[in-house]
């Protein structure tokens, strides 16, 4: 890379990193607020919030990276255009192709980073994030049982413990379970949080079970030890299914057809898999839209706001159209080919626009020579 190309490359790379960081910060804040109500109830709130937010970052970056490339290229070229650097380069015989070359080199790096994120980093991060959130929801001792207070893990379950000790030990418990058809009330002198077959449970000691019967009477049973299963208290599914976004490419293209969940989501998995492979191409498309939006057209002392505005609308439409095609591919797998075709078509159209002025100049130069002949 020569001095000129390195200069143009730096002019675009700096804004790309800045814009990507700003957009990622906004997206992270939005994602964090979705889990804030769960995390603030956990005693490790700060650490959990930071870790869950960090694990959300790869998916957010993959979503906003193409638009970040567009805005960075527009910013860099518009600054060079407004300071007459582009005009000087044209005067020195530098073509649009040479100006575009370092921009496309940056787009290549962005596409490779995007591909690495979508195929390797994102599924690993989202899988870990899902397990962390599941662990937070099932951490009953730290997040749901509060000393001396009534807590409501779900609409039909009420917990009370007068005191708590180390290791999840609780004293003087009162639990009202309205999840069965007829409510059940448990009282115990002591209890502890345990895990039974991967699900949370409370082991009650020295207490009573009061069951209301259909005739209105109450059946009272004393016990020395009783295990109350709480596997459904956090509204989690019975089985821990991996969504399409949490899966690796191999799991998306070759799902386990012995699983009922996989059988009914084959098309969704294919759409997600093709999206991960096709979305890096959007970085090339966005860079070409920006190049065409700023470089195509005559010099203007009034600026290029209108031209850039049109390019921004086109870039936004292309990004939304890519998302719509992915959604349509979930219902009809034949649309998956359009996920690759869209960025390729955009690149071809922008390339024709960038080469149009050179062709017109050649025709204008050849015209007088033909007339003299």
């Amino acid at each position: 890379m020569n001095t000129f190309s390195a200069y143009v490359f730096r002019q675009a790379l700096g804004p790309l990193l800045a814009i990507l960081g700003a957009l990622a910060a906004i997206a992270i804040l939005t994602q964090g607020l979705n889990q804030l109500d769960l995390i603030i109830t956990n005693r490790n709130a700060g650490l959990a919030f930071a870790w869950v937010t960090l694990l959300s970052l790869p998916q957010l970056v993959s979503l906003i990276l193409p638009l970040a490339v567009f805005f960075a290229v527009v910013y860099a070229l518009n600054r060079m255009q407004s300071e007459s650097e582009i005009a000087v380069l044209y005067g020195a015989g530098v073509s649009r192709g040479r100006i575009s070359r370092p921009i496309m080199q940056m787009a290549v790096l962005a596409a490779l980073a995007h591909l690495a994120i979508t195929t390797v980093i994102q599924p690993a991060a989202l899988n870990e994030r899902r397990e962390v959130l599941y662990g937070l929801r099932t951490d009953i001792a730290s997040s749901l049982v509060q000393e001396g207070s009534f807590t409501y893990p779900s609409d039909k379950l009420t917990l009370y413990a007068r005191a708590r000790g180390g290791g999840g030990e609780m004293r003087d418990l009162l639990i009202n379970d309205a999840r069965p058809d007829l409510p059940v009330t448990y009282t115990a002198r002591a209890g502890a949080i345990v895990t039974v077959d991967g699900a949370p449970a409370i082991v009650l000691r020295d207490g009573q079970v009061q069951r209301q019967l259909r005739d209105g009477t109450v059946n009272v049973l004393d016990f020395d030890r009783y295990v109350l299963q709480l596997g459904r208290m956090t509204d989690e599914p019975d089985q821990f299914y991996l969504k399409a976004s949490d899966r690796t490419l191999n799991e998306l293209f070759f799902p386990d057809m012995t699983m009922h969940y996989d059988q009914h989501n084959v098309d969704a998995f294919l759409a997600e898999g093709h999206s991960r492979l096709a979305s890096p191409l959007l970085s090339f498309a966005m860079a070409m839209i920006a190049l065409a939006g700023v470089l195509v057209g005559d010099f203007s002392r009034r600026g290029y706001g209108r031209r850039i505005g049109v390019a921004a609308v086109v870039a936004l439409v292309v990004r939304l159209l890519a998302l719509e095609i992915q959604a349509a591919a979930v219902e009809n797998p034949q649309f998956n080919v359009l996920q690759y075709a869209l960025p390729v078509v955009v690149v071809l159209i922008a390339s024709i626009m960038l080469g149009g002025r050179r062709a017109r100049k050649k025709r204008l130069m050849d015209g007088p020579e033909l007339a003299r002949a």
Side-chain angles (χ1 to χ4, degrees):
M1 184 180 294
N2 55 32
T3 303
F4 160 73
S5 297
Y7 173 76
V8 177
F9 183 88
R10 289 195 303 269
Q11 294 302 306
L13 182 61
L16 173 61
L17 297 178
I19 294 171
L20 190 60
L23 293 177
I26 296 173
I28 285 174
L29 180 60
T30 304
Q31 284 292 110
L33 292 176
N34 293 336
Q35 304 297 336
L36 189 60
D37 57 338
L38 171 67
I39 295 173
I40 60 177
T41 60
N42 191 279
R43 60 189 173 189
N44 297 322
L47 181 61
F49 180 83
W51 183 233
V52 170
T53 301
L54 182 62
L55 292 174
S56 303
L57 188 59
Q59 184 182 32
L60 299 175
V61 170
S62 67
L63 182 64
I64 64 179
L65 183 56
L67 287 177
V69 170
F70 169 79
F71 288 122
V73 175
V74 165
Y75 175 84
L77 293 180
N78 184 57
R79 189 199 64 78
M80 295 177 65
Q81 193 82 279
S82 62
E83 295 181 3
S84 301
E85 293 181 3
I86 299 295
V88 172
L89 291 174
Y90 284 158
V94 178
S95 65
R96 287 179 182 171
R98 287 192 60 189
I99 297 175
S100 303
R101 191 175 304 138
I103 298 296
M104 296 311 297
Q105 289 173 346
M106 186 197 70
V108 169
L109 294 180
L112 292 176
H114 197 168
L115 184 63
I117 290 172
T118 57
T119 58
V120 179
I121 301 175
Q122 175 184 324
L126 290 183
N127 192 15
E128 174 66 16
R129 178 177 180 269
R130 186 178 178 89
E131 292 181 357
V132 169
L133 291 176
Y134 183 80
L136 288 174
R137 290 190 176 96
T138 55
D139 188 5
I140 309 301
S142 61
S143 62
L144 297 178
V145 181
Q146 301 178 9
E147 184 176 274
S149 300
F150 287 93
T151 56
Y152 307 91
S154 65
D155 294 338
K156 297 183 178 181
L157 190 64
T158 303
L159 298 178
Y160 173 84
R162 183 182 61 81
R164 284 176 48 186
E169 183 75 16
M170 296 172 288
R171 297 289 182 182
D172 298 331
L173 287 92
L174 172 64
I175 302 174
N176 183 64
D177 188 358
R179 293 172 297 176
D181 294 336
L182 296 176
V184 182
T185 300
Y186 303 87
T187 59
R189 295 177 64 88
I193 303 295
V194 297
T195 301
V196 178
D197 296 331
I202 298 181
V203 177
L204 303 174
R205 298 190 298 274
D206 191 12
Q208 286 185 340
V209 179
Q210 301 178 19
R211 299 180 183 274
Q212 181 180 345
L213 303 180
R214 296 190 181 277
D215 59 5
T217 60
V218 177
N219 184 11
V220 179
L221 174 66
D222 295 330
F223 62 81
D224 293 327
R225 184 177 183 274
Y226 188 93
V227 179
L228 175 60
Q229 295 284 352
L230 300 175
R232 297 283 297 180
M233 68 182 300
T234 56
D235 298 325
E236 287 289 339
D238 289 335
Q239 279 190 280
F240 192 71
Y241 295 117
L242 288 179
K243 298 187 296 183
S245 58
D246 302 334
R247 295 176 178 241
T248 64
L249 276 181
N250 184 65
E251 293 170 337
L252 290 172
F253 287 113
F254 304 100
D256 185 359
M257 299 307 293
T258 63
M259 299 288 293
H260 180 77
Y261 180 81
D262 288 20
Q263 293 174 6
H264 286 75
N265 291 275
V266 172
D267 292 342
F269 295 159
L270 286 177
E272 174 69 18
H274 287 292
S275 175
R276 292 188 192 180
L277 296 177
S279 56
L281 298 176
L282 289 173
S283 294
F284 297 105
M286 294 299 174
M288 292 298 294
I289 293 174
L291 286 167
V294 178
L295 298 182
V296 173
D298 297 327
F299 174 79
S300 175
R301 295 181 181 274
R302 298 180 179 179
Y304 307 91
R306 182 178 179 182
R307 193 187 304 172
I308 292 174
V310 173
V313 171
V314 173
L316 182 60
V317 169
V318 170
R319 189 67 185 98
L320 293 177
L321 189 58
L323 296 175
E324 287 295 328
I325 292 175
Q326 180 184 355
V330 174
E331 303 295 333
N332 187 352
Q334 294 180 352
F335 283 101
N336 283 317
V337 67
L338 296 180
Q339 298 196 65
Y340 302 93
L342 175 64
V344 172
V345 169
V346 170
V347 169
L348 291 177
I349 294 175
S351 299
I352 293 173
M353 293 177 63
L354 285 170
R357 186 176 181 182
R358 182 172 57 185
R360 288 196 298 271
K361 281 187 175 181
K362 186 177 186 303
R363 288 197 299 269
L364 290 174
M365 292 177 64
D366 292 342
E369 297 178 0
L370 292 175
R372 287 194 298 270

